[in-house]
Amino acid sequence: MTAPHRVDRYLELVDPMLSVDDMRAEVTEVRRQTPDTVTLTLRPTRHWEGFRAGQFVQIGVVVDGIRQTRCYSPACSQRRSDGQIELTIKAQKDGIVSQHLNANAVPGLVVSLEQASGTFTLPSPLPDNVLLISGGSGVTPVMSMLRTLVDDGYAGRIAFLHYAYTEKDVPYRQELESIAAQNDNVDVYFAYTDQDQGGDLHGFFDTEHLGTVAPWHTDAHTFLCGPPGLMKGVSGIFDDLGLSELLHTEEFVTTPAVADEDATGTVSFSGSDVTAENSGSTLLEQAESAGLTPEYGCRMGICFTCTSVKKSGCTKNVKSGEIDSDPDSHIQLCVSVPVGDVDIDI
């Protein structure tokens, strides 16, 4: 009876938050804690099932007439009593969605929302002690963990170590200091890489930093989220110390794949009857260059929204280096590059 559109398309004309099937969220508060971030509080529709601290959600906004989706980690406690979600989004240099939200988000904005997902979560039972390490906008999932642990009355030791260029670049700085002041088992440390004064530590992560903030780290589980340099530095030290099994990581940014100038072969998008010469870029980028619009979310191999069937050919995962030559296998377009001729069912 509602053809050609689904009923939700008509309901949103009355109220963007009215829906039968689609899940949405309304921005109820906008704060700007640092010059390049925006903190949004979202009120989801009744479809929302909640989240676990450390997980991410996918939101969608329309930018210049095109719906764009990206993944962000809630920073609030999973025990938040009003059921709302808090996201702190850093304006990335080439970030279509992050730049748009930083410049234009206002209370009343309605965005699309997907259920939370991701495995970067606190284990059950909880470890005896917890070390949380973050850098830049990677603060959000570990901030959620800290808030949740405090709300749950966790009695173990917690050390929170955050890396930033300067003190002006630290979101939640006052709240973190307040949490530490109000909870005897919580210690908070700020490490600045471009500021010699103030803070607790300076420079990049090393064994001295680790020993300062958590001399008990061998009896703790460590949760890490941050830019590639911090991720590599912490992971390398934990590997050297033989503690890699105690380190849990989440990447919020991935190093862009560099197109292979020596790439050969043809990419066939058989579901659309489109073919193109292999440019060496990721299959998502090549599909878009060919005029196709496959679904995607994070563009970094986390959310699996762009997963498609490779009917034939060989691909390489740019994150893991893994080669996939099996026919009819599922691959992620955003982190896969073709090796020779490839047929993708999109």
Side-chain angles (χ1 to χ4, degrees):
M1 293 178 63
T2 61
H5 302 296
R6 294 186 299 120
V7 66
D8 282 343
R9 296 288 77 80
Y10 297 97
L11 289 174
E12 67 183 6
L13 296 176
V14 179
D15 183 343
M17 287 291 284
L18 288 177
S19 68
V20 174
D21 300 313
D22 295 344
M23 185 165 62
R24 301 176 187 138
E26 179 184 9
V27 175
T28 60
E29 183 183 359
V30 177
R31 292 185 294 134
R32 288 177 170 80
Q33 303 186 65
T34 67
D36 60 353
T37 66
V38 62
T39 298
L40 309 179
T41 303
L42 305 175
R43 176 176 62 86
T45 53
R46 58 182 176 80
H47 310 80
W48 176 243
E49 297 175 358
F51 73 101
R52 294 179 60 190
Q55 289 188 308
F56 61 85
V57 298
Q58 182 174 299
I59 66 171
V61 295
V62 176
V63 183
D64 296 330
I66 300 174
R67 180 166 294 278
Q68 306 277 356
T69 59
R70 294 293 187 274
C71 296
Y72 299 106
S73 297
C76 54
S77 169
Q78 70 182 64
R79 311 299 182 201
R80 181 166 175 152
S81 59
D82 62 4
Q84 298 196 67
I85 316 164
E86 181 181 297
L87 305 177
T88 291
I89 300 168
K90 182 175 182 178
Q92 303 295 333
K93 180 180 179 181
D94 299 316
I96 297 173
V97 174
S98 64
Q99 291 281 358
H100 175 79
L101 291 174
N102 270 264
N104 302 296
V106 294
L109 172 69
V110 174
V111 301
S112 65
L113 179 68
E114 298 292 333
Q115 298 290 358
S117 59
T119 59
F120 183 64
T121 57
L122 295 166
S124 180
L126 292 170
D128 293 336
N129 303 294
V130 172
L131 170 58
L132 305 172
I133 304 176
S134 61
S137 56
V139 69
T140 54
V142 293
M143 187 71 193
S144 178
M145 290 179 176
L146 175 63
R147 285 167 154 173
T148 299
L149 289 168
V150 170
D151 284 349
D152 286 345
Y154 175 73
R157 302 190 67 173
I158 305 173
F160 190 106
L161 171 59
H162 181 72
Y163 284 83
Y165 295 124
T166 70
E167 63 182 13
K168 295 181 180 179
D169 300 305
V170 182
Y172 302 108
R173 184 161 58 93
Q174 292 183 343
E175 182 180 349
L176 285 166
E177 292 172 341
S178 178
I179 290 174
Q182 296 172 16
N183 296 271
D184 292 338
N185 63 322
V186 178
D187 293 307
V188 171
Y189 300 86
F190 300 117
Y192 301 138
T193 57
D194 292 356
Q195 178 178 319
D196 295 331
Q197 304 296 320
D200 305 289
L201 300 167
H202 302 92
F204 300 98
F205 182 87
D206 57 19
T207 53
E208 183 178 346
H209 284 197
L210 179 60
T212 297
V213 303
W216 36 263
H217 59 269
T218 57
D219 296 319
H221 279 241
T222 298
F223 298 85
L224 166 69
C225 185
L230 177 64
M231 303 286 288
K232 182 178 179 180
V234 176
S235 297
I237 287 176
F238 271 69
D239 286 342
D240 291 342
L241 296 175
L243 300 173
S244 57
E245 73 280 0
L246 298 178
L247 179 64
H248 313 271
T249 63
E250 175 77 304
E251 293 182 85
F252 70 88
V253 65
T254 188
T255 303
V258 178
D260 182 2
E261 296 180 354
D262 298 322
T264 59
T266 300
V267 180
S268 299
F269 302 104
S270 55
S272 304
D273 197 24
V274 172
T275 60
E277 291 300 312
N278 178 14
S279 66
S281 300
T282 66
L283 284 165
L284 177 58
E285 292 171 334
Q286 295 200 49
E288 292 173 334
S289 295
L292 304 179
T293 56
E295 291 189 17
Y296 65 86
C298 65
R299 300 184 76 97
M300 63 180 71
I302 295 177
C303 71
F304 294 90
T305 301
C306 66
T307 299
S308 301
V309 175
K310 174 174 63 67
K311 298 178 68 175
S312 64
C314 181
T315 57
K316 178 181 178 180
N317 186 301
V318 297
K319 291 181 65 178
S320 66
E322 181 180 355
I323 299 294
D324 186 324
S325 58
D326 295 333
D328 298 317
S329 60
H330 289 80
I331 62 169
Q332 294 171 268
L333 299 179
C334 69
V335 291
S336 297
V337 295
V339 181
D341 295 335
V342 170
D343 184 358
I344 305 296
D345 188 19
I346 60 172

